Amino acid sequence: MPGHTDNEITIAAPMDLVWDMTNDIENWPDLFSEYASVEVLRREGDTTTFRLTMHPDENGKVWSWVSERETARDVHTVWARRVETGPFAFMNIRWEYDEMPKGTRMRWTQDFEMRPDAPIDDAGMTDLINRNSKIQMELIREKIEQRARATVEA
């Protein structure tokens, strides 16, 4: 059965700042703790194709893949999919942003299926993504809120 995750966080910062920082792909290694590098391969309108490379895992393995990401600022939504799927049969991600009374809600939903020969099954990957999304969202929240405070103080 395919995996599905749904995680969200509210960031005490304006929509434009949250959108700009989280969609600045080249700076993801500074925003996320898991990414070692990003290489933009192609930009065409609102669609970007890029290679993400992670820091080595606990076994020293470096994971890398190509994704395609389409942004729609007017509806505060991003759709992404892995082009090089690696251990996934498929991986589709949706980021949604909503203005809230105390900031911006950022929501990530992921739908995926692991290949039969993958080192982890759908349930295991669902747990892993849910745990890691909370960690990454909290880091992102802290960095964006810090930038928002610095902008107000300047």
Side-chain angles (χ1 to χ4, degrees):
M1 173 181 243
H4 173 80
T5 64
D6 190 335
N7 293 279
E8 66 180 61
I9 193 166
T10 299
I11 302 168
M15 170 75 77
D16 285 342
L17 180 61
V18 176
W19 177 272
D20 291 344
M21 287 184 70
T22 59
N23 287 292
D24 182 1
I25 296 170
E26 288 88 347
N27 284 313
W28 278 6
D30 295 326
L31 194 61
F32 292 82
S33 64
E34 61 190 342
Y35 300 139
S37 66
V38 176
E39 176 189 2
V40 173
L41 305 173
R42 184 178 66 241
R43 286 191 196 277
E44 199 170 300
D46 292 327
T47 302
T48 304
T49 305
F50 57 99
R51 174 170 296 283
L52 270 176
T53 302
M54 297 183 78
H55 294 289
D57 66 16
E58 62 277 354
N59 299 315
K61 172 126 174 85
V62 175
W63 297 92
S64 182
W65 63 90
V66 173
S67 287
E68 184 178 84
R69 184 174 172 85
E70 180 184 356
T71 60
R73 191 175 192 132
D74 60 330
V75 293
H76 307 124
T77 304
V78 176
W79 300 270
R81 67 180 183 89
R82 283 193 181 201
V83 177
E84 290 179 3
T85 57
F88 294 91
F90 69 89
M91 165 63 90
N92 298 313
I93 306 168
R94 181 178 172 118
W95 291 28
E96 297 172 285
Y97 302 80
D98 293 301
E99 291 186 80
M100 307 297 285
K102 295 186 178 183
T104 303
R105 179 177 65 111
M106 180 176 69
R107 179 180 179 202
W108 298 344
T109 55
Q110 294 171 271
D111 292 292
F112 60 90
E113 186 173 334
M114 303 308 295
R115 294 185 186 278
D117 61 344
I120 190 170
D121 64 11
D122 294 336
M125 183 56 76
T126 298
D127 290 341
L128 183 66
I129 290 172
N130 279 329
R131 280 194 313 272
N132 192 53
S133 291
K134 288 173 182 37
I135 292 166
Q136 297 306 314
M137 287 179 145
E138 183 61 29
L139 287 170
I140 290 167
R141 183 190 64 75
E142 289 173 9
K143 290 175 181 178
I144 294 174
E145 288 180 358
Q146 181 179 19
R147 172 85 55 85
R149 283 190 302 274
T151 302
V152 169
E153 294 169 1

